[in-house]
Amino acid sequence: MVREIHTTEYELGLHQTLLQEFWHNFKKNKLSLVGGFIVLCYAIMAIFAPLLAPYNPVEQFDAPPGMRNPMPPLSRDVDGRLFLLGTDKFGRDILSRALYGTRTLLQLAGGSIAIAMLLGVAMGAVAGYKKGTWVDELIMRTVDIMLSFPTLVLAIALVGAFGIGSLRIGPLVLSNMVKIMLVIAITYSPRFARVMRAVVLQEMAEDYVAAAKVTGASGFRILTREVLVNTIPTIIVQGSLMMATTVLTSASLSFLGLGLQPPRPSLGLMLNEARDYLFWGACCT
Amino acid sequence: MRAYLAKRFLFGVLTLLVTSLLIFSLLRVVPGGPVDALIGEEWDDPELRAQLRRDLGLDLPFHRQYARWLGGLFRGDLGVSLVLYRGEPVGGIILERFGVTAQLAFISLTIALLVAFPAGIAAALWKERLPDHVFRIVALGGISTPNFFLGIALIVMFGVGLRLKWGVGGYVPFGEDPWGWFLRLLLPAIVLGTDHAATISRMLRASILEALGRNHVLTAKAMGLPRKEFLIQDVLRTAMVPVVTVIGNSAGALLDGAVITEILFRLPGLGSLLVQGVYARDLPLVQSVVIVAVGIRIAVNLIVDLSYALMDPRIRYGRGQ
């Protein structure tokens, strides 16, 4: 903590751009370097999954004579192909599935956070701007009610409402992935709404908003052009904090079989399939 | 105080009402539902379908269906399960399942507190020394390990590795085999309690450190009170307020973790009931479990808020403010 205070007070003039200054501070903190490195590794794994993965994650390979799927790490199939982490019970390469699974998980979490931010920011901004009116009351009481749900229970209930698999509303068909993003986004949007309302209230008291009002700007313009821009840092911080929880929630949903459906590779689902095998193994021994 | 209680209670009931409406309408957004689940989507027999809808009361207009369910809710009748436990009253099923979850939650919270208190206090008293460093690393690990991973790891260790019968989960009622009951709930309770233990002890450490710097503590120290006395009297008591908030949050969130833990260790609790209900599209079951879950959460929050007043004499509800 002490180190951080030193570096933020560090002569601002020395570094030309914000980015350079950020990098300078970032380099000084060992913990953030380690964390950044881990995040970078995962990002590379996710982005380059198609290039890094040795095989197609849904292709099934045959075990050589005398062996059967699932195969242990470092085994070869009939045609002599090497599987670094082995195969699952359907003969699919675990390494490729894990790489693609990371990719889907991060896509899912990122998408959910983006939608949750949009929903939450809109709700919070309107509530904050219309402070004290019935609009504010309506939005914030809804938020309170949603927050009184246990998170995963709400997500599961929503999956229960929309059904497992893709969702059809009239002519509109949402893929399963988009549907899960929506479910998680709805679950987490109230938290953004709370923070957003607080920040908007704070910013509305600032002089520049009063100035904008004096020049006759409309409410919508003030909110979008003046206030919103200044709330971005807070929301970004909140979003990155939430990212970790949404990753967990989406993995939990997949684990319960309520998220992504097979054969799509997903880390949670892989763990669950492995668990079946685990019990089977335990029964046999 | 009484006025405050009444207000909180009223708001709680209101929240439950709105939740019930929300859940009820949500579960009816998507067509199909229980009829499809009962006779299968492919089975194309309009007459049978219509008959079934009439029997289940699904042909009534929306508001009458809701009123019917709500009326039952107030009488303590949660309706009958349609798919999963055909025809059995939901109330009984939930009560039975809730017992298991409550036992799991109780053991888990007890373990979490038993670990968190000594750990948090030790870390605060030996700040920046070895116990503190070890504590911080372990606590961070506890927070960032997902429930399902820890659960699987424990099953691999105890169930598969050591081949212990209780290591792979399952449930035995307390009356039948108390020791087996405890052993079987132990691993899931550890899984469920780990991140709560970490969160609670971290909060405890932080708030003890803060309390140690407060004026009244310094005064007590200067007056020459024995260390043990002022640590308990002044420091712990001041430090407890934020800690209780965190404990309350944990208690409210236990059901979240219980979903995963119960599935993993094959415990017949409320969490696994919810997931099974969603799979089977058993609407009365799902909506009732959700309502019960929200109700528990609201009750826990209320208890936590009231307990502040017990710990901090400056907090009084319903006067002034």
Side-chain angles (χ1 to χ4, degrees), chain B residues 218-240:
Chain B
L218 290 179
T219 312
K221 225 175 182 173
M223 276 165 64
L225 276 181
R227 188 174 147 93
K228 204 161 126 197
E229 201 160 298
F230 85 78
L231 270 184
I232 294 174
Q233 275 285 326
D234 298 295
V235 178
L236 261 186
R237 194 168 166 166
T238 324
M240 275 313 282

Side-chain angles (χ1 to χ4, degrees), chain B residues 158-175:
Chain B
F158 289 93
V160 183
L162 298 175
R163 297 187 190 179
L164 293 171
K165 209 166 64 193
W166 47 270
V168 288
Y171 178 74
V172 190
F174 181 75

Side-chain angles (χ1 to χ4, degrees), chain A residues 141 145 147-153 156-158 160-162 164 248 251-252 255-258 271 275 278-279 285, chain B residues 11 15 18-19 26-27 30 146 148 152 155-156 160 163 168 256 259-260 263-264 274-275 278-279 290 294 297:
Chain A
R141 290 299 82 78
I145 288 170
L147 283 175
S148 60
F149 277 88
T151 326
L152 195 58
V153 171
I156 293 174
L158 286 171
F162 295 149
I164 300 166
L248 266 188
S252 302
F255 176 78
L256 294 173
L258 300 173
L271 264 180
R275 180 185 69 113
L278 209 95
F279 281 128
T285 47
Chain B
F11 187 72
T15 310
V18 180
T19 311
L26 253 177
L27 288 177
V30 181
F148 46 86
I152 288 180
I155 292 178
V156 169
V160 183
R163 297 187 190 179
V168 288
D256 256 352
V259 176
I260 303 273
I263 296 266
L264 204 52
L274 177 66
V275 176
V278 168
Y279 269 129
V290 173
V294 175
R297 179 76 169 247

Side-chain angles (χ1 to χ4, degrees), chain B residues 5-296:
Chain B
L5 258 181
K7 207 172 116 193
R8 282 295 300 262
F9 189 73
L10 214 69
F11 187 72
V13 173
L14 204 70
T15 310
L16 274 181
L17 264 180
V18 180
T19 311
S20 71
L21 183 62
L22 216 72
I23 281 296
F24 192 83
S25 31
L26 253 177
L27 288 177
R28 276 153 188 79
V29 168
V30 181
V35 176
D36 275 346
L38 275 177
I39 59 177
E41 265 166 76
E42 317 71 43
W43 193 269
D44 207 17
D45 185 349
E47 216 161 284
L48 182 65
R49 267 168 194 276
Q51 165 88 41
L52 213 53
R53 289 178 66 84
R54 256 200 311 283
D55 288 351
L56 299 177
L58 293 173
D59 59 333
L60 295 172
F62 176 81
H63 63 274
R64 289 203 38 207
Q65 279 189 44
Y66 178 63
R68 232 169 112 175
W69 181 58
L70 202 63
L73 215 58
F74 275 111
R75 291 192 305 271
D77 170 19
L78 298 175
V80 290
S81 159
L82 294 182
V83 190
L84 210 57
Y85 295 89
R86 238 163 256 198
E88 265 185 63
V90 171
I93 304 171
I94 289 187
L95 213 61
E96 195 179 296
R97 295 291 197 110
F98 174 70
V100 179
T101 305
Q103 291 160 14
L104 176 65
F106 177 74
I107 298 184
S108 148
L109 205 58
T110 313
I111 296 180
L113 291 179
L114 283 181
V115 174
F117 268 78
I121 294 173
L125 294 185
W126 282 285
K127 185 189 162 217
E128 297 290 332
R129 305 241 293 276
L130 188 68
D132 189 29
H133 292 309
V134 173
F135 164 79
R136 284 201 292 194
I137 292 172
V138 174
L140 189 64
I143 289 181
S144 28
T145 315
N147 268 343
F148 46 86
F149 180 74
L150 185 63
I152 288 180
L154 285 182
I155 292 178
V156 169
M157 266 167 64
F158 289 93
V160 183
L162 298 175
R163 297 187 190 179
L164 293 171
K165 209 166 64 193
W166 47 270
V168 288
Y171 178 74
V172 190
F174 181 75
E176 266 173 40
D177 173 12
W179 184 235
W181 168 82
F182 176 71
L183 282 181
R184 281 189 174 76
L185 282 178
L186 187 63
L187 288 187
I190 291 175
V191 171
L192 191 55
T194 301
D195 59 343
H196 298 304
T199 326
I200 294 170
S201 54
R202 268 160 57 124
M203 194 54 170
L204 192 63
R205 174 183 177 272
S207 51
I208 287 180
L209 287 180
E210 204 212 315
L212 278 174
R214 290 254 186 103
N215 284 336
H216 66 128
V217 176
L218 290 179
T219 312
K221 225 175 182 173
M223 276 165 64
L225 276 181
R227 188 174 147 93
K228 204 161 126 197
E229 201 160 298
F230 85 78
L231 270 184
I232 294 174
Q233 275 285 326
D234 298 295
V235 178
L236 261 186
R237 194 168 166 166
T238 324
M240 275 313 282
V241 176
V243 174
V244 165
T245 313
V246 177
I247 295 177
N249 275 343
S250 294
L254 277 177
L255 197 63
D256 256 352
V259 176
I260 303 273
T261 319
E262 281 168 9
I263 296 266
L264 204 52
F265 288 92
R266 297 175 303 166
L267 292 172
L270 219 50
S272 53
L273 183 67
L274 177 66
V275 176
Q276 288 163 356
V278 168
Y279 269 129
R281 279 186 284 179
D282 198 332
L283 296 189
L285 202 63
V286 172
Q287 64 200 19
S288 305
V289 175
V290 173
I291 288 287
V292 170
V294 175
I296 295 173

